[in-house]
Amino acid sequence: MARKLPRKDVVIVGLGWTGAILAHELTESGLDVVAIERGPWRDTATDFNIGYVSDELRYAVRRDLFLQPAQETLTMRNTTSQTALPMRDFGSFLPGTGVGGAGVHWNGHTWRFYPSDFNLKSHLTERYGAARLADLQIQDWGVSYDEMESAYDRFEYLCGISGKAGNIGNKIQPGGNPFEGPRKRDYPLPPMEMTYAPTLFAEAARSLGLHPFPTPSANLSKAYVNPLGIAMGQCTMCGFCERFGCANYSKSSAQTTVLPVLMRKSNFEARCNSEVLHVNLDATGKMARGVTYVDGNGEEWEQPADMVLLCAYGLHNARLMMLSKIGKIYDPQTGEGTVGRNYAYQTNAGVQLFFDDKNFNPFVAAGALGQTVDDFNGDTFDHAALDFVGGAGINCIPTNGRPIGFRPTPPGTPRWGSAWKKATRDNYLKAFGFSSQGSSYAARGNYLDLDPTYKDRFGRPLMRMTFDFPDNDIRMSHWVSDRMEEIAKALKPRQYVQARRNKSWNSVPYQSTHNTGGAIMGADPKTSAVNKFLQSWDVPNVFVIGASAFPQNAGKNPTGTVGALAFWAADAIRNQYLRNPGPLVQA
Amino acid sequence: MLSGWYFFKPDEARALEAIVDRLIPPDDLSIGGKDAGCAAFIDRQMAGSYGDSSRLYTKGPFMHGLPTQGYQGDATPAMRYRAGLAAIDAYLKKAMSNRGFAQLTAAEQDLFLKDLEAAKVDLGKIDGKALFNLVLQNTMEGFFADPIYGGNRDMASWKMIGFPGARYDYRDHVAKHNQPYPHGPISIGGSPDWSRKG
């Protein structure tokens, strides 16, 4: 039986990016806030120490900082006709855990979505007609880019994002992304200094009339002091970025941008190694009373609170809603229910190039140090004569030369023996790749619900993921792969090798930890779980913040939009909800 | 450097050392997998949380899955090595005049490994190709991981390919496009140069 703790104003589930931002914002309003985090406390000096952080086996291969499947995993299948089985090890995506969440070990690509991404259904229907979207379940977000602009700006300045604006106040800026929505000012820091491979990639892309620009990066190009007064250092391009914590205070994370201020506040408390089992609802099921969690000693506690903010990883937000009976679980047969609806992913492909006469020093790298071509992303190009919607950013961002994972050899090379060794030696410094990060548009049969068979360590059902790449997205990816082939040819390598995207989605090889949807935002409670302020339609003192809110995914990394949504939701709570607690949008 | 074996029995260790020395043979590019410590690396991995799958989801029911659903067996890596090496030994002793893997000639060893990789060896209940892939993966991990784990002795693999190891500041070299990096590797444990002076 859970022991009851004294009431708090706000309980936050998960202390990653969104939890830290919400906690900071709401404690500024004087609220008494507790964050409950199932993973450990982690900080730079103690947990990402330069003396041992450069350890590929421990962090990149054995994935020491990540959520371990023994703690929680999911079951997966490609279609409803299959039996879902547990992902006994994570592979295709790698959720985080612990303080800072996945924001500890991300690469740092920090994007804004396009204005047309936010009203995607209306925009595409108007431009291409409703028939083009018939096989998809695309929706509008209920919020516009213009409404989000200031939230994006605040996240970028919190982080010290290094980049080059392409559009300030509707004036196109040379050297930036000419397709981006208007921003009110430039990035806080200039772009990172370019390594060799992205430099060549950009030259080749320009020779084809494309518009390459430096990828907006949360690896800092210069020392920076953020608006909270927290100092960060210049990135040293060590090449131990994604899957690693940064030892150098150079990668934006909750640890490097928020926690040093947040942890000193007397009205904030973090409880680590404590896993929330469910949100407690009152007898009507319309109000949350707090949460129940199990601490590191296995003891169960009830934490009453006036508000509950779900700030876990997006997938886990959706699962907590299901386990707590907040809203109705989506049914793909009837289309009814909203929790678990519109799960989407990322549709990626790649190309690798081999040269004889070039040395790329692949180990001189950072998670987001590179160049992007966005001429074929979202709706930046005319799809009228094409047979798909959506697109992909083409990114040349060589993130590392860590040799357990990075050993490019041409096709036909043996996997072992002296011939393998020679090819490995000959190609290590002389190869690089670039890739397309494609949109993933929602489809009726792609969704999340609870597994009927498999349970977690507390006996609760695992979440079940049913997903395959929609035909639209496969057609999109192949078309963008054709464009990548043109860039590859312009680079004149000895050889290039394409890795195209085909069905079916395979849960084993790593692809992307950009899982979106499951608790999507929108204007209609029949087709969305939360309103435009990320407030549950069903339980208005619950807010659900994360990529779980994306109605579908764009061809961009989600964290910039996730961080902006955190500020957007915080504003709604501070400026509207606290004055008049209740639904902020009438259903 | 080594203080005995943690997991493998003497016969298993001998066979595994012979296997890793064919996967990564000694030649003019580098020492072989055996001298690099790849078998010792695998031994230590088997004795820890990788070997016993204690971080993975290991609850039943165990069902045969689709390729997209990943490994669905109930055997841990340690169990797979134990059973796998025994099955290889039994197979070879029957097929190769009572000789185990370590007693074969290098050419015979290579031929057997190629057949195992190509799923041409019948090891009964054991999936030989999957076993080969597991051993190959772990051998490469050992060869290319930091030497603190017992493989990659003297940073042999890093020297071979030109990876500078656990360095953390390349700011002086970012703009030096298409130029070789001038420094050799260092490990988390340091560099031999640091302790051999004086």
Side-chain angles (χ1 to χ4, degrees), chain A residues 55 62 64 70 76 78 83 86 88 194 234 236-237 359 361 415-418 421 425 454-455 507, chain B residues 23 25 27 30 45 55 57 59 61 68-69 72 117 133 141 149 160 163 168 170-171 177-179:
Chain A
D55 185 341
R62 301 286 181 254
D64 204 54
M76 69 74 60
N78 294 120
T83 302
R88 298 190 174 278
M194 282 299 135
Q234 183 184 36
T236 60
M237 291 152 281
N359 179 339
N361 289 329
R415 299 158 74 208
W416 53 280
S418 280
K421 201 196 279 187
R425 197 275 310 262
Y454 291 94
K455 307 276 194 276
S507 68
Chain B
L23 297 179
D27 56 23
S30 79
Q45 292 295 307
R55 292 176 164 190
Y57 185 82
K59 293 181 196 298
T68 60
Q69 293 177 311
Q72 291 294 332
E117 180 181 24
N133 287 335
E141 288 169 357
Y149 291 100
M160 177 181 83
F163 176 60
Y168 67 91
Y170 292 116
R171 282 176 294 178
H177 290 175
N178 205 15
Q179 295 176 36

Side-chain angles (χ1 to χ4, degrees), chain A residues 50-58 61-64 68-73 76-78 82-90 193-196 199 234-240 248 357-361 363-365 369 401-404 406-407 415-425 428-429 453-458 462 504-508, chain B residues 22-32 41 45 50 53-74 109-115 117 129 132-133 136-138 140-146 148-149 157-158 160-171 173-181 188-189:
Chain A
I50 195 62
Y52 57 76
V53 79
S54 317
D55 185 341
E56 183 185 10
L57 183 79
R58 176 176 176 183
V61 181
R62 301 286 181 254
R63 309 193 289 254
D64 204 54
Q68 305 298 334
Q71 186 162 5
E72 180 179 338
T73 188
M76 69 74 60
R77 57 183 179 174
N78 294 120
Q82 299 167 348
T83 302
L85 293 179
M87 299 167 66
R88 298 190 174 278
D89 196 1
F90 287 117
E193 201 171 1
M194 282 299 135
T195 46
Y196 189 35
T199 303
Q234 183 184 36
C235 174
T236 60
M237 291 152 281
C238 72
F240 293 89
N248 203 48
D357 56 347
K358 292 184 167 49
N359 179 339
F360 296 107
N361 289 329
F363 41 83
V364 182
L369 200 180
R402 302 186 303 260
I404 299 175
F406 179 83
R407 279 180 278 121
R415 299 158 74 208
W416 53 280
S418 280
W420 158 81
K421 201 196 279 187
K422 183 171 186 312
T424 301
R425 197 275 310 262
Y428 175 71
L429 299 171
T453 306
Y454 291 94
K455 307 276 194 276
D456 72 6
R457 61 200 179 123
F458 298 114
L462 296 182
S504 288
W505 172 59
N506 184 342
S507 68
V508 179
Chain B
R22 292 320 301 161
L23 297 179
I24 302 174
D27 56 23
D28 55 357
L29 293 182
S30 79
I31 56 175
F41 165 88
Q45 292 295 307
Y50 175 76
S53 294
S54 56
R55 292 176 164 190
L56 306 188
Y57 185 82
T58 52
K59 293 181 196 298
F62 290 89
M63 291 192 265
H64 186 69
L66 301 162
T68 60
Q69 293 177 311
Y71 180 70
Q72 291 294 332
D74 60 353
Q109 290 175 331
D110 283 356
L111 195 60
F112 173 76
L113 290 172
K114 273 181 193 153
D115 285 348
E117 180 181 24
K129 184 178 175 182
F132 177 89
N133 287 335
L136 181 66
Q137 174 200 325
N138 295 150
M140 293 301 170
E141 288 169 357
F143 193 57
F144 289 101
D146 194 284
I148 58 170
Y149 291 100
S157 72
W158 296 353
M160 177 181 83
I161 61 174
F163 176 60
R167 293 185 181 274
Y168 67 91
D169 190 353
Y170 292 116
R171 282 176 294 178
H173 298 275
V174 179
K176 293 177 184 166
H177 290 175
N178 205 15
Q179 295 176 36
Y181 182 74
I188 290 169

Side-chain angles (χ1 to χ4, degrees), chain A residues 90-318:
Chain A
F90 287 117
S92 178
F93 56 87
L94 306 172
T97 191
V99 169
V104 163
H105 41 68
W106 66 317
N107 266 328
H109 310 179
T110 313
W111 293 102
R112 297 180 177 200
F113 285 1
Y114 287 124
S116 59
D117 287 324
F118 287 98
N119 62 339
L120 194 67
K121 183 176 185 182
S122 311
H123 171 85
L124 293 177
T125 304
E126 189 185 327
R127 191 167 178 186
Y128 306 113
R132 182 69 76 89
L133 314 182
D135 296 338
L136 299 167
Q137 198 157 271
I138 289 175
Q139 294 182 207
D140 291 352
W141 291 53
V143 68
S144 70
Y145 172 82
D146 289 343
E147 287 176 294
M148 292 289 291
E149 202 283 334
S150 135
Y152 272 126
D153 180 82
R154 284 157 71 192
F155 185 64
E156 289 161 359
Y157 273 73
L158 181 83
C159 292
I161 300 304
S162 305
K164 178 79 184 81
N167 180 343
I168 299 177
N170 282 317
K171 287 208 175 89
I172 300 303
Q173 309 291 313
N177 176 9
F179 306 106
E180 71 176 0
R183 52 177 73 235
K184 99 182 135 213
R185 54 179 172 168
D186 208 333
Y187 288 99
L189 291 179
M192 302 181 79
E193 201 171 1
M194 282 299 135
T195 46
Y196 189 35
T199 303
L200 292 184
F201 168 84
E203 286 169 9
R206 262 191 296 274
S207 77
L208 297 171
L210 305 174
H211 302 83
F213 59 92
T215 309
S217 169
N219 320 135
L220 271 55
S221 63
K222 290 185 169 176
Y224 182 68
V225 178
N226 82 1
L228 303 189
I230 300 169
M232 296 178 67
Q234 183 184 36
C235 174
T236 60
M237 291 152 281
C238 72
F240 293 89
C241 199
E242 186 175 53
R243 306 194 181 194
F244 299 80
C246 180
N248 203 48
Y249 302 87
S250 301
K251 177 165 71 174
S252 318
S253 65
Q255 277 84 352
T256 55
T257 68
V258 184
L259 294 176
V261 166
L262 178 63
M263 295 310 295
R264 289 168 186 267
K265 293 181 175 179
S266 59
N267 55 339
F268 176 72
E269 181 189 349
R271 287 186 207 139
C272 300
N273 300 308
S274 295
E275 180 158 346
V276 171
L277 297 179
H278 47 79
V279 180
N280 301 315
L281 304 183
D282 72 4
T284 68
K286 302 285 184 198
M287 283 295 281
R289 293 185 290 111
V291 302
T292 295
Y293 70 92
V294 178
D295 71 13
N297 298 321
E299 292 193 52
E300 207 169 298
W301 302 88
E302 184 185 336
Q303 176 60 66
D306 291 351
M307 290 182 72
V308 176
L309 310 184
L310 301 185
C311 292
Y313 189 62
L315 293 170
H316 304 135
N317 281 345

Side-chain angles (χ1 to χ4, degrees), chain A residues 352-411:
Chain A
Q352 188 137 44
L353 297 86
F354 296 91
F355 294 83
D356 288 320
D357 56 347
K358 292 184 167 49
N359 179 339
F360 296 107
N361 289 329
F363 41 83
V364 182
L369 200 180
Q371 293 270 333
T372 296
V373 165
D374 245 10
D375 296 63
F376 311 115
N377 204 351
D379 199 40
T380 60
F381 56 109
D382 187 2
H383 292 68
L386 301 170
D387 58 356
F388 62 86
V389 288
I394 301 176
N395 300 297
C396 180
I397 308 171
T399 59
N400 75 89
R402 302 186 303 260
I404 299 175
F406 179 83
R407 279 180 278 121
T409 52

